[in-house]
Amino acid sequence: MTLAIDRQNRPLPYYRHESVKPQWTRIRGFQNGRAAVELDGKWTFIDESGGAIAPPTFDRVWDFWEGFAAVQLEGMWGFIDLQGIMVVFPQFEEAIRFSEGLAKVRANGRWGYIDVYGQLVIDPVYDIAHHFAEGMALVKCNGKLHYIDTAGNTVWFPTH
């Protein structure tokens, strides 16, 4: 028997659903219609019906953003789409979610940005890189903070 819990982790005794069998070690909340789940130290995602979109094979995962999730396989990071298809094969030291069509990735110890096809749009030259918001991202290069646009052009140096 499966019992549901409320937001304070108290059981809801009147909800029973014998057809739902616990099968995941850990489960995260839904983002873009998918939730990350873990089984025996490996991760995958489920859809809203509870079905896995791929076998649990990933070492680590980030949640879906803009239809893609960063996944780690054998120490390298890539991206899958909502159907669980690997669209950017694991090739980066680290990868973080997409924002405004670009994802930040780390290669050779530096941060840059790729598009949804896995092509480098902005070379990995930054010590620190943040997500894009309203067409700009805060980056740090050679000890200096500045904002870049989605083409990698500096658009503004903070004054403080």
Side-chain angles (χ1 to χ4, degrees):
M1 173 175 49
T2 300
L3 294 177
I5 57 172
D6 66 13
R7 291 178 189 258
Q8 285 76 42
N9 292 322
R10 296 178 302 214
L12 298 173
Y14 298 109
Y15 174 83
R16 294 179 185 188
H17 198 295
E18 274 70 22
S19 68
V20 177
K21 304 278 189 260
Q23 58 181 323
W24 306 109
T25 310
R26 290 194 285 176
I27 184 167
R28 294 189 199 151
F30 280 86
Q31 181 73 30
N32 280 190
R34 303 290 183 265
V37 293
E38 180 193 27
L39 179 65
D40 299 327
K42 296 295 183 178
W43 289 86
T44 189
F45 293 87
I46 58 172
D47 59 23
E48 291 174 339
S49 73
I53 65 169
T57 56
F58 305 115
D59 301 322
R60 294 175 54 203
V61 297
W62 287 103
D63 291 333
F64 275 90
W65 288 89
E66 296 186 9
F68 302 95
V71 296
Q72 185 186 49
L73 194 58
E74 298 178 6
M76 300 303 278
W77 287 86
F79 287 89
I80 61 171
D81 66 13
L82 290 167
Q83 287 72 45
I85 297 168
M86 188 71 69
V87 293
V88 177
F89 286 92
Q91 58 190 296
F92 301 105
E93 297 162 4
E94 198 167 348
I96 312 292
R97 69 177 175 89
F98 276 87
S99 63
E100 298 191 11
L102 298 176
K104 66 180 191 170
V105 295
R106 189 164 54 98
N108 299 317
R110 301 290 219 161
W111 291 95
Y113 297 87
I114 61 169
D115 63 17
V116 298
Y117 304 105
Q119 300 299 310
L120 276 171
V121 175
I122 302 171
D123 288 333
V125 297
Y126 302 106
D127 303 312
I128 297 171
H130 292 270
H131 304 295
F132 278 91
E134 298 183 28
M136 295 188 300
L138 180 64
V139 295
K140 184 177 185 180
C141 187
N142 298 323
K144 295 187 179 187
L145 288 171
H146 58 279
Y147 284 90
I148 59 171
D149 63 17
T150 56
N153 301 312
T154 297
V155 292
W156 183 61
F157 284 96
T159 55
H160 295 104

